[in-house]
Structures are given as structure tokens and as C-alpha cells.
């Protein structure tokens, strides 16, 4: 039956028993007294600019089997919550789980999402770290009381922007390592990082500016150009709200998606029977092929709907029609969570993630008056140096000390443009003197049909640290990308493919499909025989070989 690693821990969080506790709170009566005292003693730990808010022993729980499948247990751990206040306006939350038995000698940092502001954003990765016996930590990125989808609380808080954009993950890492050393009496021997979305950006910042912090870094769908990433979401929202006829209904999105997949298949960028596009970056699709010939219906697109779809595909453009940023790829049109439907829906009657523009223009900013040609230079002038450091920097120092970086990105992502990850990889390959040289220390894996950090029609289960898709069928280096990173960083073989799995929607234990994810610029090519549901019938092939 399908393993559901971390579910019990996360359910406990939701139930409230892992809510932040006071330092004086007693450990559960069933916990061994010595372990509770050892954990509780961390409440008195003295670290610069740091307050230990709580240090409480969480008892382990045995695995269970239910009608929903097998729910893995978890080992007992010491849960520490700290706050670091190193400068006026800075208040960075850090949480770390320390296994009381079986520590592997590893420190594991985790990222957050969106505007962050909460510690729970890192819990799914921490659950995987705890399973492996790692001391595992996360941070709220210093943005509380903001939340992942709402950043109005950060208006006028420039120091919090800096903590979110660059500083907080390093603070989490140094603080977490110090607490780890205090608990075990020795420092961690190895360190790894995992995160997706904003968490992906956090990991890139570590590799670019704090190369000594981690031996291996795994990042998914990393935000890099934060200002233009938010501008792309605003661009889409504005396009869908030009008029009452501009918004794309769920039925129209499904129509678009079906037509895009079919068009890309005819161009040789997909396989018959797949519900996703294998190579959307090579596909050209014009939604005008769906134009209504007579009256409007769910089987065709009106002129307003075609204009909206074209805006989503193109991404922000100047008044002269020149591309300012990336658009979304054919095959990404589905109305799933964080899909095209999400980009059209208001949050508190405003565009998603629009709070960033209020940091520049004030709380009364009105999205309807935003002019991209006029206003984006002002946004970049104010925020670029604070939140866009992932667009700069070098991996040279990280590589020189043997660090290993893996980036992965779903090609049906509609929150962070996949083209941004490709541009990042190609930029650093040029600096290293070619992709072959960069591949010794950094690799990029693109996942066809996968949405933002998971979900979508394509195989998306290949990372045990994520809470969105199901857990991979095995935690070995072939099926779990974090295990592949650990093996590589510890001196093993660089990953030349990762097997991604798609589970059946109606049977949590049945595998519908497996496909290899290949290191860029290689792509998975069907051998021409055998089931297209089996990864063994595909080969990772370089562009020149194809």
C-alpha cells in the first residue's frame, strides 16, 4: 500500500499539539525524564541575538494502517522554536526538529513558500528529514505576520523585505546548526537543503552567496526575478479582467488545454495518449484555432478569450510588443490549484501576490491603473537590489568546495516560469565554460506536465520532501531526487535520470505511469516500442543525438 510519510506529523500540527509552546511547558508524562530534561535545557541556550521561545520533547508514534493506506510513524524529537532579532525591524523565526535517537549527523534546512510568514510552510520537508534521522529546520523568512498568499503586513518594512529576499535562510542555517551542536555535543558532519518556489529561491541564494552553508542543495521551481515574477501574475490578472468577456471559464481552460496538447503532439512534441506536452518549449500554439465561427459556446473561444489566452502565453510585453519576461507554456492551461484559474481569481478583491506593488506605491495602490512600461522601472528601482539577488551571483565558490546543486521545474508551472530556470542554468553554464563543466556540480531536471512544485497531468511524484504530490514509490536515488542529491553530494554518481511516477487518482497504490526526468539539455525520448507508461521504454537523449 502507498506510504504516507509525514501525514501523522502534519495532522498533529493541524490539530494543534505542535503549536508553539512556552519554554516552561512540561514534556508529556510518558516521555523519559532524561530526554525531556535534555531537550528542555535548550530553552536556556545563549546565542547572539536569539531567544529560544520553546524546547519541548515530542514523543514518537508507531506506524498505522488505515483504509486510506499505511501511515508511517515518526521518531521522538526535540522541537525547538527560536526567534533571531539581529537588527531593528528584523525578527526571523526558526524551528528545528532534533531526533533524540538515531541522529545521522546531518543538518537539513528547508524553505518556505510565497510571502512566507509562518513556520508550517517547511513542515513537509522537515517530516522527510526527520524520517532520515536528520536535524531538520525551517524559517518563516522573517515576514510574520504576513502569510504565504498575503503580504500587505510588509508595507513599509524594508528590513523584512531583505530578510525574505536574501538573509533569513542563512540565519536559519547558522542558528539551526548551533542548536544542533548544543543538543548533540558535536557539529553536524554534512548539511543539505531542500525547498520549492520561494523555498527554491532561498536555496539558490544559499548556493550563490553562502557557499559554506550546505554540501547539497535541492531546489524546485525557484523564484529568481521576484519583481517580474509578480508582474507576470499581475499581467495575467489584468488580461482576464479587461472586460466581462475576457475571463476564461474552467470549461474554456479545459478546451484550451486539450487543443494545445493535440497541437503539440502533431508537431512532434508529445506522445499519443498523453494528457500533457513532453516538450512545450519547442511547441508553437495559437489559441485562435479555437475561434468561434458562429455564436459563443464552451466549444470555442470568443475574441476576448483568445486575447486573454495569448496574454498568458506571451507573458508581459512592452507597448512595442517586445517580451519583458516569460509566459506560460502550452499544456499549462488546466484550472487546477495554482493553475490558470487561480491567476484570474482575486484574493481580497486584488490580484494574487499583488502586495509586493504596495511596498513600492503604498497601501492605496490600485492595480487597474498600473502601466507596465511606466511603473515596472519604478518597482525595480525600489526592490531589485533587495529581492532579486538570485538573478545575480556565481556558483563558482559553491562548486569549488564540492557543493552539488539540483534544480527541478515542472513544465506546466503557472506560478514560476520554467523558462527562468532554463535561463539560469544556461547563464551559469556560460560562466563555467559549458554545460558539461557545470554539470559536474549543478544539474537541471524539467518535469513535463507537472505544475507548481507538483500536481498536473504528468508524473510528479519524485521528491519525498514535498507535501503536494504523493510520496515516490521508493526512497532510493532513482525514484527520489533528494536521495539522488545526497548520494551525489557524498561522493556518489551524478544523477543521469530520475524516475517520476504518476499514481492513479482512484487508487492510491496503483501506478499509472513512470517516465524518466533527464538532466538538461537532454530529453526523454520514446524508443518506439513497448508501453509509454514504462520508464524503461524511454532514453535520455542529447539534442544533437536526436
Amino acid at each position: 500500500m502507498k506510504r504516507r510519510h509525514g501525514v501523522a506529523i502534519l495532522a498533529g500540527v493541524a490539530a494543534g499539539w505542535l503549536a508553539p509552546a512556552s519554554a516552561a511547558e512540561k514534556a508529556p508524562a510518558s516521555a523519559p525524564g532524561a530526554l525531556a530534561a535534555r531537550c528542555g535545557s535548550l530553552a536556556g541556550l545563549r546565542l547572539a541575538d536569539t531567544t529560544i521561545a520553546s524546547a519541548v520533547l515530542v514523543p514518537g508514534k508507531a506506524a498505522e494502517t488505515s483504509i486510506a493506506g499505511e501511515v508511517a510513524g515518526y521518531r521522538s524529537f526535540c522541537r525547538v522554536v527560536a526567534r533571531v532579532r539581529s537588527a531593528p525591524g528584523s525578527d526571523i523565526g526558526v524551528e528545528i526538529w532534533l531526533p533524540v535517537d538515531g541522529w545521522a549527523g546531518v543538518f537539513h534546512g528547508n524553505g518556505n513558500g510565497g510571502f512566507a510568514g509562518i513556520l508550517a510552510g517547511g513542515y513537509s520537508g522537515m517530516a522527510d528529514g526527520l524520517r532520515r534521522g536528520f536535524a531538520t529546520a525551517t524559517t518563516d523568512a522573517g515576514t510574520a505576520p504576513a502569510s504565504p498568499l498575503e503580504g500587505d503586513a510588509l508595507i513599509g518594512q524594508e528590513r523584512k523585505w531583505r530578510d525574505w529576499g536574501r538573509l533569513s535562510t542563512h540565519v536559519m542555517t547558522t542558528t539551526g546548526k548551533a542548536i544542533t551542536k548544543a543538543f548533540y555535543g558535536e557539529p553536524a558532519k554534512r548539511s543539505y537543503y531542500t525547498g520549492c518556489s520561494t523555498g527554491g529561491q532561498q536555496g539558490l541564494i544559499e548556493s550563490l552567496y553562502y557557499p559554506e552553508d550546505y554540501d547539497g542543495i535541492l531546489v524546485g521551481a525557484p523564484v529568481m526575478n521576484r519583481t517580474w515574477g509578480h508582474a507576470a501574475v499581475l499581467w495575467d490578472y489584468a488580461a482576464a479582467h479587461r472586460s466581462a468577456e475576457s475571463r476564461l471559464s474552467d470549461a474554456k481552460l479545459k478546451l484550451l488545454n486539450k487543443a494545445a496538447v493535440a497541437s503539440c503532439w502533431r508537431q512532434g512534441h508529445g506522445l499519443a495518449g498523453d494528457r500533457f506536452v513532453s516538450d512545450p518549449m519547442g511547441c508553437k500554439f495559437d489559441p485562435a484555432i479555437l475561434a468561434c465561427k458562429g455564436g459563443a459556446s464552451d466549444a470555442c473561444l470568443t475574441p476576448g478569450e483568445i486575447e486573454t489566452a495569448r496574454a498568458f502565453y506571451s507573458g508581459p510585453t512592452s507597448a512595442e510588443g517586445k517580451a519583458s519576461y516569460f509566459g506560460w507554456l502550452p499544456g499549462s492551461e488546466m484550472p487546477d490549484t495554482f493553475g490558470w484559474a487561480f491567476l484570474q481569481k482575486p484574493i481580497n478583491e486584488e490580484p494574487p501576490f499583488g502586495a509586493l506593488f504596495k511596498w513600492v506605491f503604498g497601501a492605496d495602490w490600485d492595480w487597474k491603473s498600473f502601466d507596465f512600461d511606466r511603473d515596472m522601472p519604478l518597482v525595480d528601482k525600489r526592490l531589485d537590489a533587495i529581492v532579486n539577488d538570485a538573478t545575480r551571483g556565481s556558483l563558482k565558490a559553491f562548486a569549488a568546495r564540492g557543493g552539488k546543486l539540483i534544480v527541478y521545474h515542472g513544465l506546466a508551472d503557472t506560478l514560476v516560469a520554467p523558462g527562468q530556470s532554463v535561463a539560469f542554468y544556461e547563464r551559469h553554464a556560460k560562466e563555467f565554460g559549458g554545460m558539461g563543466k557545470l554539470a559536474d556540480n549543478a544539474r537541471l531536471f524539467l518535469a513535463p506536465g507537472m505544475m507548481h512544485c507538483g500536481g498536473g497531468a504528468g508524473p510528479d511524484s519524485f521528491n519525498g520532501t514535498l507535501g503536494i504530490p504523493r510520496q515516490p514509490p521508493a526512497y532510493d536515488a532513482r525514484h527520489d531526487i533528494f536521495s539522488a542529491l545526497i548520494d551525489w553530494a557524498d561522493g556518489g554518481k551524478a544523477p543521469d535520470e530520475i524516475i517520476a511516477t504518476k499514481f492513479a487518482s482512484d487508487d492510491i497504490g496503483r501506478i499509472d505511469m513512470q517516465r524518466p526526468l533527464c538532466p538538461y539539455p537532454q530529453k526523454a525520448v520514446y524508443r518506439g516500442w513497448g508501453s509509454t507508461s514504462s520508464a524503461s521504454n524511454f532514453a535520455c537523449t542529447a539534442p544533437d543525438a536526436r
Side-chain angles (χ1 to χ4, degrees):
M1 302 182 73
K2 182 74 178 74
R3 288 175 292 178
R4 299 174 63 206
H5 164 58
V7 170
I9 297 181
L10 302 181
V13 172
W17 64 263
L18 277 182
S22 68
E25 187 172 343
K26 299 291 185 181
S30 59
L35 291 177
R38 177 180 162 202
C39 176
S41 68
L42 291 176
L45 181 64
R46 303 299 180 192
L47 299 174
D49 305 314
T50 302
T51 300
I52 305 297
S54 63
V56 178
L57 184 71
V58 177
K61 186 175 182 180
E64 299 176 350
T65 301
S66 70
I67 59 173
E70 183 180 333
V71 180
Y74 51 87
R75 66 187 76 210
S76 179
F77 63 96
C78 178
R79 180 185 182 234
V80 180
V81 177
R83 304 216 66 87
V84 183
R85 303 178 179 93
S86 61
S90 180
D91 186 357
I92 298 171
V94 176
E95 181 167 340
I96 183 166
W97 299 350
L98 303 153
V100 296
D101 292 306
W103 179 49
V106 171
F107 175 80
H108 173 216
N110 292 272
N112 215 300
F115 292 110
I118 61 173
L119 291 166
Y123 284 174
S124 61
M126 293 173 73
D128 186 70
L130 186 66
R131 177 188 64 81
R132 297 174 189 266
F134 297 170
T136 182
T138 193
T139 175
D140 64 3
T143 58
S147 65
L149 294 181
E150 298 184 10
D152 281 14
L154 305 179
I155 296 171
Q157 301 289 324
E158 181 171 334
R159 176 58 195 227
K160 289 184 178 292
W161 309 343
R162 294 184 183 277
D163 288 342
W164 177 64
R166 175 162 173 171
L167 304 175
S168 59
T169 313
H170 179 60
V171 169
M172 170 197 74
T173 304
T174 56
T175 303
K177 287 183 176 181
I179 294 172
T180 298
K181 181 178 180 181
F183 187 67
Y184 296 112
E186 60 179 306
K189 297 178 179 64
R190 303 289 285 170
S191 299
Y192 310 111
Y193 174 90
T194 58
C196 193
S197 193
T198 290
Q201 176 188 12
Q202 292 173 254
L204 290 186
I205 291 296
E206 286 292 298
S207 66
L208 294 166
Y209 300 100
Y210 305 101
E212 300 292 330
D213 280 359
Y214 292 97
D215 301 294
I217 294 176
L218 172 65
V219 299
V223 182
M224 296 178 208
N225 192 319
R226 175 66 71 170
T227 53
W228 274 99
H230 284 241
V233 174
L234 175 59
W235 172 269
D236 295 338
Y237 186 88
H241 289 264
R242 286 189 313 274
S243 69
E245 293 76 34
S246 297
R247 185 167 174 176
L248 293 158
S249 68
D250 285 1
K252 297 297 180 81
L253 291 177
K254 292 176 181 178
L255 175 72
L256 257 176
N257 179 256
K258 185 177 180 180
V261 171
S263 178
C264 293
W265 170 71
R266 287 191 295 270
Q267 296 172 48
H269 301 297
L271 286 176
D274 283 356
R275 296 189 300 113
F276 57 92
V277 182
S278 299
D279 182 17
M281 289 185 171
C283 179
K284 303 295 182 184
F285 175 67
D286 185 353
I289 65 172
L290 295 170
C292 295
K293 300 296 190 288
S297 75
D298 284 346
C300 62
L301 299 182
T302 66
E305 292 166 341
I306 291 172
E307 188 177 355
T308 298
R310 282 176 168 166
F312 276 49
Y313 290 127
S314 71
T317 59
S318 68
E320 291 76 30
K322 182 180 179 181
S324 302
Y325 190 64
F326 303 92
W328 313 123
L329 297 172
S332 67
E333 306 85 0
M334 291 298 287
D336 301 54
T337 303
F338 298 131
W340 281 29
F342 172 82
L343 297 171
Q344 300 178 96
K345 293 177 181 176
I347 296 177
N348 294 330
E349 304 306 317
E350 295 180 340
F353 304 110
L356 179 138
F357 299 101
K358 295 182 180 180
W359 303 356
V360 178
F361 299 109
D364 58 352
W365 171 74
D366 182 2
W367 68 269
K368 293 184 288 294
S369 64
F370 192 84
D371 182 284
F372 284 79
D373 287 354
R374 179 195 67 206
D375 295 335
M376 278 308 296
L378 300 176
V379 173
D380 278 336
K381 182 178 180 181
R382 185 71 180 93
L383 296 179
D384 177 75
I386 300 174
V387 300
N388 286 343
D389 275 347
T391 64
R392 299 174 282 268
S394 174
L395 294 171
K396 287 277 193 177
F398 183 67
R401 62 175 297 271
K404 307 299 182 185
L405 169 68
I406 293 180
V407 181
Y408 64 91
H409 208 136
L411 287 171
D413 196 331
T414 54
L415 281 188
V416 179
Q420 191 174 217
S421 286
V422 172
F424 171 89
Y425 196 77
E426 291 181 343
R427 174 170 71 86
H428 287 280
K430 184 177 180 180
E431 181 190 8
F432 273 64
M435 288 193 183
K437 293 182 179 179
L438 177 60
D440 289 339
N441 293 91
R443 299 201 167 193
L444 167 64
F445 291 84
L446 300 175
M450 188 176 88
M451 299 181 72
H452 187 62
C453 298
D460 64 339
S461 177
F462 56 88
N463 184 359
T465 69
L466 291 178
I468 299 175
R470 295 176 187 171
Q471 291 289 296
Y475 293 118
D476 59 63
R478 291 192 71 229
H479 298 86
D480 178 68
I481 199 168
F482 187 26
S483 295
L485 173 76
I486 293 169
D487 282 2
W488 187 24
D490 288 354
K493 183 176 178 288
D496 53 16
E497 71 172 17
I498 302 293
I499 304 301
T501 299
K502 187 70 177 178
F503 287 97
S505 59
D506 59 347
D507 183 346
I508 62 174
R510 191 180 83 240
I511 293 175
D512 268 353
M513 174 189 293
Q514 289 185 314
R515 293 278 173 86
L517 306 182
C518 305
Y520 183 82
Q522 296 180 42
K523 297 173 184 176
V525 176
Y526 179 52
R527 298 180 190 272
W529 64 86
S531 172
T532 57
S533 296
S534 173
S536 64
N537 295 323
F538 291 78
C540 289
T541 307
D544 55 355
R546 291 182 289 122

